[in-house]
Amino acid sequence: MTQAAKDATTQRLIKKYPNRRLYDTQTSTYITLTDVKQLVLANEDFQVVDAKSGEDLTRSILLQIILEEESGGMPMFSSGMLAQIIRFYGHAMQGVMGTFLEKNIQAFMDIQDRMAEQSKGMYGNQVAPEAWAQFMNVQTPVLQNMMNSYIDQSKNLFVQMQDQMQDQTRSMFSAFPFNPNAPKDSKK
């Protein structure tokens, strides 16, 4: 069996109907965005498609869930951050930004997983949610310092990469017979 066929058999299919209802084909029931959020939290592999056209609507549904969460009591993104993200759409660095955010979120998740594993080693598998919350309250400043350090290192690497790209561009265009620093002709 090919990988695509395996993915198709293991991926949960949710159909979105014109009446905006979501139908889970695995359970043969209608579900809500809250149910889809639970699938995400349970790491379920799923795809949401338009029932008529078959168009993939997964991203759209996930964005709706994020919008609902952001509209709730404790938003994750500041207005400034959302504005910065919007500014990257259509920008030459849009693809780089998407990859950068994805990789950094994955790095954060890896750190979180390692911390959870280490706490299991210290306290066994019997860590109550309240104990984990207390542990994280104590660890939050440490984690924030670690993440700030990581972000600073990423920023420095990004600036170095940008400088290298500028140097390469200068050397590539130095063979052409124009001088970008020459004064512009004012006789136009």
mmCIF file of all heavy atoms in Angstrom, residues 18-19 26 40-41 47 69 77 87 95 97 107 115 129 136-137 141 156 175 177 182:
data_model
loop_
_atom_site.group_PDB
_atom_site.id
_atom_site.type_symbol
_atom_site.label_atom_id
_atom_site.label_comp_id
_atom_site.label_asym_id
_atom_site.label_seq_id
_atom_site.Cartn_x
_atom_site.Cartn_y
_atom_site.Cartn_z
ATOM 1 N N PRO A 18 -23.211 22.860 2.972
ATOM 2 C CA PRO A 18 -23.585 24.263 2.722
ATOM 3 C C PRO A 18 -24.289 24.932 3.908
ATOM 4 O O PRO A 18 -24.201 26.146 4.061
ATOM 5 C CB PRO A 18 -24.523 24.183 1.515
ATOM 6 C CG PRO A 18 -24.146 22.920 0.821
ATOM 7 C CD PRO A 18 -23.692 21.978 1.915
ATOM 8 N N ASN A 19 -24.957 24.160 4.734
ATOM 9 C CA ASN A 19 -25.617 24.736 5.913
ATOM 10 C C ASN A 19 -24.614 25.011 7.042
ATOM 11 O O ASN A 19 -25.002 25.268 8.171
ATOM 12 C CB ASN A 19 -26.750 23.830 6.401
ATOM 13 C CG ASN A 19 -26.253 22.463 6.854
ATOM 14 O OD1 ASN A 19 -25.057 22.192 6.871
ATOM 15 N ND2 ASN A 19 -27.179 21.595 7.216
ATOM 16 N N GLN A 26 -16.260 9.334 10.303
ATOM 17 C CA GLN A 26 -15.838 8.181 11.122
ATOM 18 C C GLN A 26 -16.909 7.810 12.139
ATOM 19 O O GLN A 26 -17.168 6.634 12.371
ATOM 20 C CB GLN A 26 -14.518 8.495 11.824
ATOM 21 C CG GLN A 26 -13.988 7.328 12.638
ATOM 22 C CD GLN A 26 -12.625 7.619 13.213
ATOM 23 O OE1 GLN A 26 -11.793 8.216 12.567
ATOM 24 N NE2 GLN A 26 -12.406 7.199 14.448
ATOM 25 N N VAL A 40 -7.905 18.149 17.455
ATOM 26 C CA VAL A 40 -6.579 18.754 17.388
ATOM 27 C C VAL A 40 -5.818 18.462 18.674
ATOM 28 O O VAL A 40 -4.660 18.041 18.646
ATOM 29 C CB VAL A 40 -6.678 20.279 17.137
ATOM 30 C CG1 VAL A 40 -5.311 20.944 17.287
ATOM 31 C CG2 VAL A 40 -7.277 20.578 15.779
ATOM 32 N N LEU A 41 -6.469 18.687 19.811
ATOM 33 C CA LEU A 41 -5.815 18.458 21.105
ATOM 34 C C LEU A 41 -5.430 17.000 21.310
ATOM 35 O O LEU A 41 -4.446 16.702 21.986
ATOM 36 C CB LEU A 41 -6.725 18.939 22.245
ATOM 37 C CG LEU A 41 -6.983 20.451 22.292
ATOM 38 C CD1 LEU A 41 -7.985 20.790 23.379
ATOM 39 C CD2 LEU A 41 -5.681 21.219 22.487
ATOM 40 N N GLN A 47 -8.992 15.751 8.052
ATOM 41 C CA GLN A 47 -9.102 16.701 6.952
ATOM 42 C C GLN A 47 -10.560 17.121 6.847
ATOM 43 O O GLN A 47 -11.461 16.284 6.940
ATOM 44 C CB GLN A 47 -8.646 16.069 5.632
ATOM 45 C CG GLN A 47 -8.722 17.030 4.466
ATOM 46 C CD GLN A 47 -8.318 16.375 3.152
ATOM 47 O OE1 GLN A 47 -8.432 15.158 2.991
ATOM 48 N NE2 GLN A 47 -7.851 17.176 2.223
ATOM 49 N N GLU A 69 -10.735 31.145 19.881
ATOM 50 C CA GLU A 69 -9.858 31.146 21.058
ATOM 51 C C GLU A 69 -9.340 32.553 21.339
ATOM 52 O O GLU A 69 -9.285 32.969 22.492
ATOM 53 C CB GLU A 69 -8.676 30.185 20.853
ATOM 54 C CG GLU A 69 -9.066 28.725 20.848
ATOM 55 C CD GLU A 69 -9.600 28.246 22.187
ATOM 56 O OE1 GLU A 69 -9.057 28.638 23.238
ATOM 57 O OE2 GLU A 69 -10.574 27.479 22.184
ATOM 58 N N PHE A 77 -2.140 36.135 20.941
ATOM 59 C CA PHE A 77 -1.474 37.086 20.066
ATOM 60 C C PHE A 77 -1.885 38.513 20.406
ATOM 61 O O PHE A 77 -3.067 38.803 20.548
ATOM 62 C CB PHE A 77 -1.828 36.807 18.601
ATOM 63 C CG PHE A 77 -1.467 35.437 18.146
ATOM 64 C CD1 PHE A 77 -2.453 34.504 17.877
ATOM 65 C CD2 PHE A 77 -0.148 35.062 17.989
ATOM 66 C CE1 PHE A 77 -2.124 33.224 17.449
ATOM 67 C CE2 PHE A 77 0.199 33.791 17.572
ATOM 68 C CZ PHE A 77 -0.797 32.863 17.303
ATOM 69 N N ARG A 87 1.431 42.038 7.740
ATOM 70 C CA ARG A 87 2.377 42.756 6.874
ATOM 71 C C ARG A 87 3.250 41.820 6.053
ATOM 72 O O ARG A 87 3.785 42.212 5.027
ATOM 73 C CB ARG A 87 3.244 43.689 7.714
ATOM 74 C CG ARG A 87 2.478 44.884 8.232
ATOM 75 C CD ARG A 87 3.385 45.836 9.027
ATOM 76 N NE ARG A 87 2.546 46.803 9.695
ATOM 77 C CZ ARG A 87 2.374 46.874 11.013
ATOM 78 N NH1 ARG A 87 3.025 46.053 11.822
ATOM 79 N NH2 ARG A 87 1.564 47.772 11.536
ATOM 80 N N GLY A 95 7.202 33.399 2.671
ATOM 81 C CA GLY A 95 7.506 31.974 2.816
ATOM 82 C C GLY A 95 8.494 31.706 3.933
ATOM 83 O O GLY A 95 8.355 30.740 4.687
ATOM 84 N N MET A 97 8.925 33.588 6.569
ATOM 85 C CA MET A 97 8.254 33.851 7.846
ATOM 86 C C MET A 97 7.405 32.656 8.271
ATOM 87 O O MET A 97 7.425 32.268 9.438
ATOM 88 C CB MET A 97 7.394 35.112 7.754
ATOM 89 C CG MET A 97 6.657 35.410 9.031
ATOM 90 S SD MET A 97 7.730 35.468 10.467
ATOM 91 C CE MET A 97 7.331 37.039 11.101
ATOM 92 N N ALA A 107 10.025 23.882 17.862
ATOM 93 C CA ALA A 107 11.087 23.879 18.874
ATOM 94 C C ALA A 107 10.488 24.075 20.270
ATOM 95 O O ALA A 107 10.891 23.402 21.223
ATOM 96 C CB ALA A 107 12.102 24.988 18.580
ATOM 97 N N MET A 115 10.376 18.743 28.878
ATOM 98 C CA MET A 115 10.082 19.094 30.278
ATOM 99 C C MET A 115 9.085 18.112 30.878
ATOM 100 O O MET A 115 9.221 17.699 32.028
ATOM 101 C CB MET A 115 9.553 20.520 30.366
ATOM 102 C CG MET A 115 10.613 21.581 30.149
ATOM 103 S SD MET A 115 9.958 23.249 30.245
ATOM 104 C CE MET A 115 9.530 23.359 31.969
ATOM 105 N N PRO A 129 -2.723 17.479 37.298
ATOM 106 C CA PRO A 129 -2.753 18.745 36.556
ATOM 107 C C PRO A 129 -2.447 19.957 37.435
ATOM 108 O O PRO A 129 -1.785 20.891 36.998
ATOM 109 C CB PRO A 129 -4.186 18.812 36.008
ATOM 110 C CG PRO A 129 -4.641 17.393 35.966
ATOM 111 C CD PRO A 129 -3.931 16.705 37.094
ATOM 112 N N MET A 136 4.780 24.745 36.427
ATOM 113 C CA MET A 136 4.938 25.664 35.304
ATOM 114 C C MET A 136 4.942 27.113 35.781
ATOM 115 O O MET A 136 5.648 27.945 35.208
ATOM 116 C CB MET A 136 3.853 25.445 34.251
ATOM 117 C CG MET A 136 4.064 24.174 33.436
ATOM 118 S SD MET A 136 5.732 24.016 32.735
ATOM 119 C CE MET A 136 5.770 25.394 31.616
ATOM 120 N N ASN A 137 4.172 27.434 36.823
ATOM 121 C CA ASN A 137 4.192 28.797 37.362
ATOM 122 C C ASN A 137 5.575 29.160 37.876
ATOM 123 O O ASN A 137 6.037 30.281 37.708
ATOM 124 C CB ASN A 137 3.156 28.967 38.473
ATOM 125 C CG ASN A 137 1.754 29.090 37.936
ATOM 126 O OD1 ASN A 137 1.546 29.443 36.783
ATOM 127 N ND2 ASN A 137 0.775 28.789 38.772
ATOM 128 N N PRO A 141 9.284 31.937 34.430
ATOM 129 C CA PRO A 141 10.366 32.905 34.191
ATOM 130 C C PRO A 141 11.609 32.260 33.580
ATOM 131 O O PRO A 141 12.241 32.837 32.702
ATOM 132 C CB PRO A 141 10.665 33.463 35.591
ATOM 133 C CG PRO A 141 9.450 33.183 36.404
ATOM 134 C CD PRO A 141 8.849 31.939 35.820
ATOM 135 N N ASN A 156 20.042 36.921 15.613
ATOM 136 C CA ASN A 156 21.425 37.134 15.191
ATOM 137 C C ASN A 156 21.768 36.293 13.965
ATOM 138 O O ASN A 156 22.431 36.779 13.047
ATOM 139 C CB ASN A 156 22.389 36.837 16.338
ATOM 140 C CG ASN A 156 22.283 37.852 17.455
ATOM 141 O OD1 ASN A 156 21.839 38.980 17.249
ATOM 142 N ND2 ASN A 156 22.662 37.455 18.660
ATOM 143 N N ALA A 175 29.723 42.597 -11.614
ATOM 144 C CA ALA A 175 30.163 42.403 -12.994
ATOM 145 C C ALA A 175 29.371 43.265 -13.978
ATOM 146 O O ALA A 175 29.804 43.478 -15.109
ATOM 147 C CB ALA A 175 30.032 40.937 -13.381
ATOM 148 N N PRO A 177 27.831 46.741 -15.619
ATOM 149 C CA PRO A 177 28.433 48.075 -15.768
ATOM 150 C C PRO A 177 27.587 49.218 -15.195
ATOM 151 O O PRO A 177 27.434 50.251 -15.827
ATOM 152 C CB PRO A 177 28.578 48.209 -17.276
ATOM 153 C CG PRO A 177 27.442 47.412 -17.831
ATOM 154 C CD PRO A 177 27.294 46.256 -16.882
ATOM 155 N N ALA A 182 26.135 55.695 -7.822
ATOM 156 C CA ALA A 182 26.340 56.876 -8.670
ATOM 157 C C ALA A 182 25.160 57.825 -8.552
ATOM 158 O O ALA A 182 24.017 57.376 -8.405
ATOM 159 C CB ALA A 182 26.531 56.434 -10.116
#
